[in-house]
Amino acid sequence: MSLENELKELIIKDLKLVDITPEEIKDDDFLFGDEGIGLDSLDAVELVVLLQKHYQVETKDLEESREVFTSVKTLADYVRSKTGAA
Amino acid sequence: MKASILGIGTVTPLGCGIETLLSGLEGTAQPNIVEHTVETAKGGIALPVYTSAAEGLDRFIPRNKLRRIDRFLQMALLSSFHAIEDSGLNLEDRTRIGIVFGTGYGPLQTSFDFLDTLIDDGDKCASPTLFANSVHNSLVSNVSIALKLQGPCLTLTSFEMTSSSVFSTASAWLEEGKVDYVLTGVGDEYCEVRGYSTILSGSENVSAIKPSAFNDCTYLPGEGFVSFLMGKEKGRKAYGSISSIETGSGNPVKPDHSALFLAANGDRSTGCHYDNLQKGKDLTRLYSPLYGGMPAGQGFDVAIAALSLKDGRLYPSPEVSGAEQKQAEPQIREILHSDSIACLQYDDNGNFGLITLSGKD
């Protein structure tokens, strides 16, 4: 499974999203806001925990986090840059 | 003190809404009892649990908004929506509506889920959502947000004294003119740790709550939530009033000619205190076989008392429950000759809370 698909499954499971499947999330869909899948600020905190828990990747810089949390693709790229994952 | 009950909402093992509670009282419906397997050092032990579900909450809150709301909060929310709906009142000034909720144990499952993330993943990876929902007061906060109630809000936790504390506080707020209405509610939920604790307390092999066998251990855990909209005015659908609340230890003084509802639930540590009471047998009722054992059980008796006063009828105590439950048979309702009903709950130290409802203004 690609890292992008793995992240989509984790996001749905850990953030308890309903009425959406991994297949319905495109890699470059916005994660936050009405144009994307509609995550909110509390979800952002859960995403920080998700990255730490599953990939041992920390996100401490606020500005950096804004970019990292843009989409599944930016999340996956960030995890790869920190862990060397494929 | 005359705080009227204007609306009632219930989520119980009988279902959601007061009609389901009435069906249970009339013997035409039985509580939902689910057998859980509790893992112990001796292996898995079967435990019947009085189980509730907040079915129909998506009529009030969209499904996608429910994802962070745990079962306990769902039960509280649904009973709250039902209580306000049942009152038939158009509550325009929501800044004058307070909330007082109570629970013996709080959101147990969420609390233990949070602790699991803390133990398994460390403090850096403990879930912030689980933490937020594990705080007892998140109950009233979420209800306040969902129902747009902007008055003062408070959550009380006092085990078996929870219901008397809640009604006492709500009545005081109304008496002081702090608010025009108070949404009150009490409830508890089941979780595996509670099941384990129940088995340790001696409920192994118990198949039915026998609340009048005061010296036997027949406790089985229950869960649910019951909410009341209370106000000073006598509303169109008022169920009667809270006429007095007494707390203390030993034997309470029950108002003359009152029916007496005992929140005994098969827990031997509290049962002995009920056993010492002078009871007028024909006016004493025990309803825990409808909702199961829980610290907040007295609140469910208050709902039954309110329904009884409104209907002018005293419903029979359910005789059996659990695996021994019979097929539903319509039961004859007795005419309630008394105009007041006292609801009594003891804790294991012999402290009591006595909530008396009156049918008169």
Side-chain angles (χ1 to χ4, degrees):
Chain A
M1 184 189 295
S2 72
L3 181 57
E4 281 80 358
N5 286 341
E6 189 176 282
L7 280 165
K8 289 172 192 174
E9 289 195 355
L10 285 173
I11 288 170
I12 289 173
K13 178 172 168 284
D14 286 14
L15 276 54
K16 298 184 172 61
L17 301 185
V18 293
D19 297 335
I20 190 165
T21 64
E23 294 73 30
E24 289 170 323
I25 303 175
K26 296 188 180 70
D27 289 356
D28 51 4
D29 276 350
F30 288 117
L31 293 177
F32 293 86
D34 295 337
E35 295 170 33
I37 64 172
L39 303 187
D40 59 25
S41 57
L42 197 50
D43 291 315
V45 186
E46 288 285 1
L47 274 180
V48 170
V49 171
L50 183 153
L51 292 182
Q52 169 83 26
K53 183 173 162 182
H54 296 282
Y55 302 102
Q56 293 76 51
V57 169
E58 291 192 8
T59 49
K60 289 181 175 171
D61 183 283
L62 187 62
E63 284 307 310
E64 184 184 51
S65 298
R66 282 183 199 279
E67 290 183 25
V68 170
F69 290 168
T70 302
S71 66
V72 169
K73 181 177 184 308
T74 57
L75 266 180
D77 289 344
Y78 184 69
V79 171
R80 286 192 192 97
S81 73
K82 295 291 182 182
T83 65
Chain B
M1 185 191 302
K2 283 282 185 184
S4 296
I5 294 174
L6 306 171
I8 304 174
T10 59
V11 176
T12 75
L14 292 159
C16 303
I18 53 173
E19 298 80 12
T20 60
L21 183 56
L22 275 170
S23 298
L25 290 167
E26 290 174 340
T28 56
Q30 296 292 332
N32 178 35
I33 298 174
V34 177
E35 190 166 290
H36 289 245
T37 301
V38 179
E39 294 303 328
T40 72
K42 293 191 285 185
I45 294 176
L47 178 71
V49 175
Y50 286 71
T51 305
S52 299
E55 288 169 359
L57 184 55
D58 53 1
R59 181 160 75 85
F60 302 98
I61 300 177
R63 250 171 57 85
N64 62 354
K65 301 277 185 195
L66 295 175
R67 66 188 170 99
R68 290 198 194 104
I69 297 177
D70 61 33
R71 282 183 70 247
F72 184 55
L73 180 52
Q74 287 186 18
M75 292 191 287
L77 275 169
L78 184 58
S79 63
S80 299
F81 277 110
H82 280 168
I84 289 181
E85 191 173 67
D86 181 53
S87 75
L89 292 170
N90 182 21
L91 303 169
E92 287 179 352
D93 183 2
R94 299 206 168 201
T95 63
R96 297 283 300 163
I97 306 172
I99 309 172
V100 186
F101 274 4
T103 169
Y105 297 132
L108 275 184
Q109 186 62 57
T110 298
S111 296
F112 285 114
D113 285 346
F114 171 70
L115 290 174
D116 284 345
T117 68
L118 198 62
I119 293 165
D120 294 343
D121 306 316
D123 54 355
K124 279 187 178 177
C125 294
S127 165
T129 306
L130 288 175
F131 172 71
N133 284 341
S134 72
V135 177
H136 282 26
N137 213 40
S138 71
L139 193 66
V140 290
S141 308
N142 278 290
V143 170
S144 168
I145 292 166
L147 281 87
K148 300 182 173 59
L149 306 183
Q150 296 162 43
C153 57
L154 182 67
T155 304
L156 297 166
T157 303
S158 188
F159 295 110
E160 284 82 4
M161 298 299 103
T162 296
S163 298
S164 50
S165 302
V166 164
F167 284 104
S168 182
T169 305
S171 299
W173 283 10
L174 289 167
E175 193 66 31
E176 292 166 8
K178 196 181 195 109
V179 290
D180 296 331
Y181 300 98
V182 188
L183 180 67
T184 60
V186 294
D188 279 300
E189 76 166 337
Y190 174 78
C191 80
E192 198 178 340
V193 176
R194 213 180 131 202
Y196 182 76
S197 165
T198 301
I199 295 291
L200 285 189
S201 301
S203 288
E204 191 176 340
N205 300 322
V206 171
S207 58
I209 293 179
K210 293 171 181 158
S212 57
F214 297 117
N215 294 305
D216 296 338
C217 180
T218 63
Y219 181 91
L220 292 174
E223 63 174 9
F225 214 96
V226 56
S227 297
F228 306 83
L229 184 69
M230 297 171 61
K232 292 284 283 183
E233 67 186 72
K234 184 89 176 164
R236 185 167 48 89
K237 285 183 67 180
Y239 291 91
S241 306
I242 305 285
S243 54
S244 71
I245 298 168
E246 186 189 347
T247 56
S249 61
N251 273 1
V253 179
K254 175 176 79 71
D256 286 343
H257 311 302
S258 283
L260 181 63
F261 291 1
L262 305 180
N265 54 26
D267 176 4
R268 196 165 34 197
S269 64
T270 58
C272 57
H273 305 297
Y274 296 102
D275 201 19
N276 293 333
L277 282 172
Q278 295 292 319
K279 297 177 278 288
K281 196 177 175 186
D282 53 341
L283 284 177
T284 300
R285 296 290 183 272
L286 302 95
Y287 295 109
S288 62
L290 293 179
Y291 52 77
M294 66 181 112
Q298 189 179 27
F300 294 77
D301 284 347
V302 170
I304 294 169
L307 290 170
S308 302
L309 286 169
K310 181 168 184 278
D311 291 350
R313 290 185 166 90
L314 192 57
Y315 296 90
S317 303
E319 288 178 6
V320 291
S321 67
E324 295 176 21
Q325 66 184 293
K326 296 173 185 169
Q327 285 294 312
E329 293 174 12
Q331 296 174 320
I332 298 167
R333 297 177 297 185
E334 302 163 44
I335 299 298
L336 179 64
H337 296 295
S338 162
D339 64 0
S340 69
I341 297 174
C343 302
L344 177 67
Q345 184 160 16
Y346 274 108
D347 70 9
D348 52 4
N349 293 316
N351 300 309
F352 67 82
L354 181 74
I355 302 169
T356 303
L357 284 79
S358 167
K360 290 180 179 171
D361 282 329

